[in-house]
Amino acid sequence: MAGLQTGSVVYRPVACVLGDLAEFLGRDGSAHYARAVRIAERVGSAHWAREAAEAHAGALGRDRG
């Protein structure tokens, strides 16, 4: 990637992306979001932990029936 040597790139936890994919496919993504929260907390990223927690709460509240 151009400029990678002089800058930084930040991506959210892959588990969050997997949760989004599961939800898109009509499946329960809550386990993925829960893992994303743990990963974000472990690396000290409050922003990603908060986003994953919100997605987790939304996934738990969805009716799939």
Side-chain angles (χ1 to χ4, degrees), residues 16-50:
C16 213
V17 176
L18 293 174
D20 291 347
L21 178 60
E23 294 290 319
F24 177 76
L25 295 173
R27 299 179 181 169
D28 184 5
S30 61
H32 294 292
Y33 293 130
R35 182 172 180 151
V37 171
R38 291 191 306 271
I39 291 167
E41 288 173 343
R42 189 178 318 146
V43 298
S45 177
H47 170 78
W48 291 125
R50 186 172 48 254

